[in-house]
Amino acid sequence: MLFSCLPMQRADMGRAFEIERACFAEPWSRAMFEGEFLHEYSRALLLRMEGGSQTEIIGYLFFHLVADEMHVLKITVSPEHRRCGGAGQLMKAGMSAAVKQGAAMAFLEVRRSNAAAFLFYESLGFERVGIRPAYYKNPGTEDAIIMRKTLQGGNHGFTDWD
Ligand SMILES: CC(C)(COP(=O)(O)OP(=O)(O)OC[C@H]1O[C@@H](n2cnc3c(N)ncnc32)[C@H](O)[C@@H]1OP(=O)(O)O)[C@@H](O)C(=O)NCCC(=O)NCCS
């Protein structure tokens, strides 16, 4: 399958928002989507499936760039297009853009019960580095697993605990 990963434009937000509502029990609101276009540190990439003259929006990635860190907020692929490598390409495009803008480390949180997402992040080299107890409140209280990946150099702006 052929994919493209490009910055999300406001005009694309409607389809991305439909995917959001189809994929999450507690989807982001439209205002939260729109809010991501307002911050200088916020980035949104869109995943398209390319098919000759036709293209279809099938996923998206939101992340923030803070100091030399990439903070992954959300990555989603529509259910019928999963396990085709799309999210992998999208994350790699996001990490590559983050590195070009100076990011040395990437961080994210994932629900303890979200095995698919955990394995997906692990497949990209993210490692479990901690737990935020009872981080998620809806639906039900659930821990977040914190994951981290070195993007370049290991020259990040803090000292490891050990
Ligand atoms: C997590 C998610 C983005 C993965 O998207 P995807 O397009 O299916 O991922 P890829 O096809 O690029 O998968 C790459 C690798 O990740 C791992 N992986 C992905 N989904 C997996 C699953 N359901 N079970 C086990 N491993 C999985 C595999 O190693 C896979 O490689 P393989 O297919 O060759 O075995 C997708 O399942 C999704 O949108 N889930 C709902 C939203 C979500 O939970 N997002 C993350 C938290 S915000």
Side-chain angles (χ1 to χ4, degrees), residues 43-116:
R43 303 285 182 280
L45 290 184
L46 207 62
L47 177 68
R48 281 196 168 85
M49 189 174 63
E50 304 289 342
S53 58
Q54 293 200 322
T55 75
E56 188 184 346
I57 294 170
I58 61 164
Y60 50 87
L61 165 69
F62 286 105
F63 62 97
H64 288 172
L65 289 171
V66 182
D68 62 352
E69 296 174 6
M70 173 192 197
H71 290 261
V72 178
L73 304 186
K74 185 174 280 250
I75 183 164
T76 315
V77 169
S78 59
E80 63 274 28
H81 296 104
R82 290 181 190 163
R83 297 309 289 272
C84 299
Q89 279 205 25
L90 186 57
M91 271 295 289
K92 284 176 192 161
M95 292 190 289
S96 165
V99 165
K100 281 189 190 133
Q101 291 169 64
M105 302 286 291
F107 290 89
L108 57 85
E109 281 112 13
V110 59
R111 281 179 183 270
R112 195 190 269 278
S113 65
N114 195 346

Side-chain angles (χ1 to χ4, degrees), residues 101-153:
Q101 291 169 64
M105 302 286 291
F107 290 89
L108 57 85
E109 281 112 13
V110 59
R111 281 179 183 270
R112 195 190 269 278
S113 65
N114 195 346
F118 180 81
L119 291 169
F120 166 68
Y121 293 132
E122 226 181 22
S123 78
L124 289 165
F126 281 83
E127 293 175 328
R128 182 196 316 228
V129 291
I131 299 280
R132 290 191 205 281
Y135 181 72
Y136 298 104
K137 307 293 181 205
N138 284 309
T141 303
E142 190 173 352
D143 298 344
I145 298 172
I146 306 168
M147 301 187 82
R148 180 176 83 176
K149 177 180 164 74
T150 300
L151 298 179
Q152 57 173 340

